[in-house]
Amino acid sequence: MKLSEIYKKEGRVLSFEIFPPKHEEELNNIDATLEILCDLNPDYISVTFGAGGSSNNNKTIAIARKIKEQYHVEPVVHLTCLTYDKAEIDGFCRELEANGIENILALRGDRNPNIAPKGVFEHASELIEYIRPRTDFCIAGACYPEAHPESKDRVSDLRDLKKKVDAGAEVLLSQLFFDNQYFYDFVEGARIAGIDVPITPGIMPCLSATSIKRMVTTCGASLPPSFEKIIKRYEDNKEALFDAGMYYAISQIIDLLTSGCDGIHLYTMNNPVVAGRICDGIKNII
Ligand code: FAD
């Protein structure tokens, strides 16, 4: 089913994001992970592609196909463009079609100092413009409640986002954030700019102080004082930080849902315990 249809359903849309495991032994565990994640009944699961600039893409489509055929959940395949030319993108599209994939998240992709950009597609909007008339995929795009780190300011960030939607993005999935006010202000700005597609907030629960600090450096998300207090207080107590991180994410989600968001995109980090805890906390709410 296409994302555009999924977002028309009654009630809120719950989606998960996973990444293809790097190591063979983790790959063997992907079934166990998928089984638990799919039992939580998400409306769709998106699978990253070369995230962090990695070239580990070959498993993305295979995992997406498994999600669809074995677990009967709709997959969304992330597709990046910075380091590919048109023939390579055509090749990916044919492979996706052959595997029954209906939805893609079209991205520029993270920069990797070891892989030179091809210079064909500079921005996600160019990828969308290229794919839209050639395929029947439902295309989603990424958005950034605190603006993309490379954007000059929020106005130019929104102007570029509008290009993405005008090119054919039918749904927007947001970068993680820890302060909901950024999301609310961003959505308000997007609506004023004429962006009228669903905008789904991306939530990443805090698992460890190190991983959160790394994510914050990479994507530029700011930490509100209440969240910084949690990290400072429980930095050296893994279990307490986990509990507090889950509680924080659940509170964030409740606030988003009660403020009218039509869905939640959960960065699961391939951790079914995390997804289970969050889903349990919102089971009567979503
Ligand atoms: P773009 O939309 O191209 O934007 C990048 C920058 O260029 C922004 O500053 C924007 O304002 C500017 N810009 C955009 N269009 C134009 C234009 N036409 N003219 C001038 N400037 C423009 N990365 C991966 O490698 N693999 C993944 O699987 C992956 N999954 C992701 C999932 C989500 C939900 C999100 C939010 C991000 C994901 N990323 C992934 C990271 C993403 O690739 C990076 O954030 C990347 O730096 C930007 O990608 P984009 O598609 O948003 O780029």
Side-chain angles (χ1 to χ4, degrees), residues 17 46-54 78-81 105-111 122-126 141-144 147-153 156-161 163-164 173-176 265 267:
E17 181 168 310
S46 81
V47 190
T48 68
F49 182 95
S54 122
H78 298 201
L79 179 63
T80 65
C81 61
L105 173 60
L107 297 151
R108 183 195 75 183
D110 287 324
R111 291 189 190 279
E122 293 291 339
H123 297 291
S125 54
E126 293 163 18
C143 63
Y144 302 83
H148 187 276
E150 292 170 33
S151 292
K152 193 168 67 155
D153 51 40
S156 63
D157 189 83
L158 278 176
R159 207 167 32 225
D160 293 335
L161 186 63
K163 289 180 197 157
K164 211 181 277 198
L173 299 184
S174 100
Q175 180 61 282
L176 62 95
H265 188 62
Y267 292 100

Side-chain angles (χ1 to χ4, degrees), residues 45-201:
I45 297 182
S46 81
V47 190
T48 68
F49 182 95
S54 122
S55 52
N56 172 38
N57 294 328
N58 49 347
K59 295 289 182 274
T60 297
I61 298 176
I63 292 173
R65 181 180 181 149
K66 197 184 255 293
I67 291 171
K68 185 161 185 134
E69 290 185 354
Q70 215 168 307
Y71 298 99
H72 311 292
V73 171
E74 202 51 53
V76 174
V77 168
H78 298 201
L79 179 63
T80 65
C81 61
L82 197 60
T83 58
Y84 300 112
D85 59 24
K86 288 181 179 169
E88 288 167 309
I89 293 294
D90 290 341
F92 284 129
C93 289
R94 280 196 298 273
E95 200 182 339
L96 289 166
E97 283 162 350
N99 281 280
I101 305 301
E102 295 181 61
N103 303 292
I104 62 168
L105 173 60
L107 297 151
R108 183 195 75 183
D110 287 324
R111 291 189 190 279
N112 178 339
N114 301 316
I115 307 179
K118 281 268 162 75
V120 177
F121 300 102
E122 293 291 339
H123 297 291
S125 54
E126 293 163 18
L127 174 66
I128 300 172
E129 254 165 38
Y130 182 74
I131 290 178
R132 175 81 288 164
R134 290 171 174 79
T135 68
D136 193 33
F137 297 123
C138 180
I139 303 174
C143 63
Y144 302 83
E146 296 185 56
H148 187 276
E150 292 170 33
S151 292
K152 193 168 67 155
D153 51 40
R154 289 188 190 182
V155 174
S156 63
D157 189 83
L158 278 176
R159 207 167 32 225
D160 293 335
L161 186 63
K162 177 83 166 53
K163 289 180 197 157
K164 211 181 277 198
V165 174
D166 289 345
E170 294 178 70
V171 172
L172 295 172
L173 299 184
S174 100
Q175 180 61 282
L176 62 95
F177 57 91
F178 299 103
D179 181 343
N180 288 357
Q181 195 55 49
Y182 280 109
F183 185 79
Y184 301 138
D185 293 345
F186 166 75
V187 173
E188 190 182 21
R191 299 305 181 217
I192 292 169
I195 295 169
D196 56 5
V197 300
I199 303 178
T200 297

Side-chain angles (χ1 to χ4, degrees), residues 227-241:
F227 194 78
E228 267 182 347
K229 253 192 340 206
I230 292 178
I231 296 188
K232 214 165 155 192
R233 178 79 175 83
Y234 300 121
E235 192 155 23
D236 301 319
N237 183 341
K238 229 172 124 201
E239 288 76 22
L241 183 63

Side-chain angles (χ1 to χ4, degrees), residues 241-280:
L241 183 63
F242 185 84
D243 279 353
M246 292 302 118
Y247 176 78
Y248 190 91
I250 291 170
S251 313
Q252 240 193 310
I253 293 172
I254 293 172
D255 183 62
L256 288 161
L257 294 176
T258 51
S259 302
C261 288
D262 51 11
I264 296 291
H265 188 62
L266 188 66
Y267 292 100
T268 70
M269 297 156 284
N270 291 14
N271 188 328
V273 176
V274 169
R277 277 278 290 267
I278 301 286
C279 288
D280 195 46

